[in-house]
Structures are given as C-alpha cells and as structure tokens.
Amino acid sequence: MTQVLAQLATHTAALLLYPGLVMIALFGGAAESVWVRVSEGSWMRPELPRHRPSAVLTTVALSSMLAAVQMSAPFNLVPSDERNLIIAAIALGLTVWAELALGTEMFAEPGLLLVVQCCWLVAVLGPAVEPQSLRPQVLGAVLVPSLLPLKVASGILYLLCLPALLKVWPVPAPGERRARRRLDALRALCWWPYCGLFATLFFPPTHDDLLGLAGFLGVSVAAAGFCVLAGAYMRRRGLDVVRDAYGRAVAPFAGLVLVLVAVTSLLVR
C-alpha cells in the first residue's frame, strides 16, 4: 500500500510540476511571448483565458501533461521503463484534434494540417522500427552508424512539421477576439511537449544533473527558436507559398523517410 501511494505521489508530482504542468506553463509562456514579439513587433503577454477553462483547453492541457512526462528530461520522476513513445504521440496528436474542435474556420487549411500531423508521426515513429523499442530515451541514445541517416532525416522532418503543428504559419485572423485568446492559450500549452520530445528522440539522454538539464533545455529552446524563425519567414512569404511547400516538399519528404525506414530495416538484418 505504501509503495502504491508513493508511486501515485511521484506520478502526480511529475504531471503537475516537472516536467508537467508548471514546466509547460513556464516554457510555453516564454516561447509564446517571444513569438508574439516576433510576429506582432512588440512585447506583450500571451492572451490567456480569463474565465473558466473550456473543455477543449482542459483536454489540451491534460494531453500536454501526459506527453511531457514521457520525455527523457533530467530529473523526470516517472521511471524510464514506464515512459512510452506511443502515449506521447497519441497525446500530442489529440491536441491537434481537440483544437480543430474549436471550428475549422479558425485554421488555415485544416486538411493540410492533418497531413502535416501524419508526416510528424512518420518522423516520430519511423526511427522506432528498427531498434524495436518504444521507450523514448532508447531512441535518443541510438548512435549506430547504419541508423543515423534515418535518425537525421526524421529529425529534419520533425522540425519542418513544427511550425504547422504549433500554428505559427500564416493563419487567417479569427473574426472574434475571444477565439484568438483561446488559440494563443492552446499553443502555449504545446511548446514544451513538442520541443522537449524533439530533444528526447533525436539527442542522447543527459544525466540527472544541472549540466544535463541545461543541455536538454538548450536543445528544446533551439527547437522553439527554429519554429519561431520559420514561422516569421512563412508569414512574410504568405499562405499560398507555405501551402505549396508543405504539399509539394514536406509530404514527399515524409514518403522518402518511409522508404528510408524500409531500406534501413532490410540492411541491418
């Protein structure tokens, strides 16, 4: 009984504190503030809901918390053998579906957004085929030369999908201010899970010390920085150019990654 209570307390702390809700709020709030500064040209606080959280916002928050505790972040209280990549992928995928529940009129190209999500799933699950492991820290630790091309290609695909999944690409302005506020809050909840999962899957696990924490945060911040810069560039280029880029470049590149998965599986056997 004592062991069960201890595990319950540990998992609750991970979900609510670190790497869960508190870390999600801190990292997401900072990233969202930077994005607002870059996109709007002035510093301002992210527009968060001032009323009782909606069902969609609550769903996204819970999904982000569940995805966050699957990461190999230093000092993660969830044991490494209890973390699962499928849980993280489903949880983050649910954030997209939950946000689409707000109404497709709030998003530019909702169909294309779902295509990008499929490409992202290829980037996340592709490297797991040959190691035959769904433990995120195992995939991050893979440095076998024959598997590195697939890992690098998947990492590039992951980064290319981030601006769309975090919706920093050119999105038509919603007609209502309330809708915009909710959208900003939802995006703020997703920065840490997406960027932290990138650091987990494509970089070796770090030790549970301050240096390891700094390294993990550094990679996560770099991923967020890339997303901000890519989003700013996309907004200058316009929605039509971005639509063509994702439809004619990113989607075929995901197909190439799938081919690389098949070839790698055959070569290493």
Side-chain angles (χ1 to χ4, degrees), residues 1 3 9 22 29 35 44 55 62-63 69 76 82 84 93 104 132 141 151 194 217 221-222 235 240 243 263:
M1 184 64 178
Q3 184 178 4
V22 171
W35 167 244
M44 62 183 71
L62 292 175
S63 299
V69 298
N76 188 349
E82 295 183 13
N84 192 289
T104 57
Q132 299 181 358
K151 188 173 183 178
Y194 274 117
L217 289 177
V221 169
R235 293 204 171 212
D240 291 336
R243 184 192 298 114
V263 172

Side-chain angles (χ1 to χ4, degrees), residues 57-168:
L57 184 63
T58 302
T59 300
V60 172
L62 292 175
S63 299
S64 297
M65 292 162 59
L66 187 58
V69 298
Q70 310 304 320
M71 301 186 303
S72 60
F75 304 111
N76 188 349
L77 296 177
V78 176
S80 60
D81 58 349
E82 295 183 13
R83 305 171 200 164
N84 192 289
L85 180 60
I86 294 296
I87 295 177
I90 292 176
L92 286 177
L94 185 60
T95 63
V96 175
W97 286 93
E99 292 180 56
L100 285 176
L102 288 171
T104 57
E105 70 279 359
M106 294 183 58
F107 297 91
E109 303 293 333
L112 183 59
L113 180 61
L114 294 181
V115 171
V116 173
Q117 186 187 31
C118 292
C119 296
W120 175 80
L121 287 173
V122 171
V124 170
L125 300 178
V129 172
E130 183 49 39
Q132 299 181 358
S133 174
L134 293 175
R135 294 170 59 186
Q137 65 277 7
V138 172
L139 300 178
V142 171
L143 295 176
V144 179
S146 59
L147 299 179
L148 284 181
L150 173 59
K151 188 173 183 178
V152 172
S154 298
I156 294 173
L157 179 60
Y158 191 108
L159 287 176
L160 292 176
C161 293
L162 270 190
L165 294 173
L166 288 171
K167 287 169 288 299
V168 297

Side-chain angles (χ1 to χ4, degrees), residues 136-257:
Q137 65 277 7
V138 172
L139 300 178
V142 171
L143 295 176
V144 179
S146 59
L147 299 179
L148 284 181
L150 173 59
K151 188 173 183 178
V152 172
S154 298
I156 294 173
L157 179 60
Y158 191 108
L159 287 176
L160 292 176
C161 293
L162 270 190
L165 294 173
L166 288 171
K167 287 169 288 299
V168 297
W169 59 353
V171 180
E176 299 181 2
R177 182 174 176 81
R178 176 171 176 261
R180 184 183 179 187
R181 183 184 302 125
R182 291 171 64 190
L183 179 61
D184 288 346
L186 294 173
R187 182 171 56 219
L189 289 170
C190 295
W191 283 98
W192 171 242
Y194 274 117
C195 296
L197 187 61
F198 173 79
T200 295
L201 295 179
F202 302 107
F203 287 83
T206 55
H207 298 290
D208 288 342
D209 52 30
L210 293 180
L211 185 60
L213 180 61
F216 188 88
L217 289 177
V219 175
S220 301
V221 169
F226 169 84
C227 192
V228 169
L229 294 176
Y233 175 77
M234 289 178 181
R235 293 204 171 212
R236 287 197 299 268
R237 298 292 293 176
L239 178 59
D240 291 336
V241 174
V242 173
R243 184 192 298 114
D244 291 340
Y246 274 102
R248 299 180 182 179
V250 176
F253 184 63
L256 180 62
V257 172

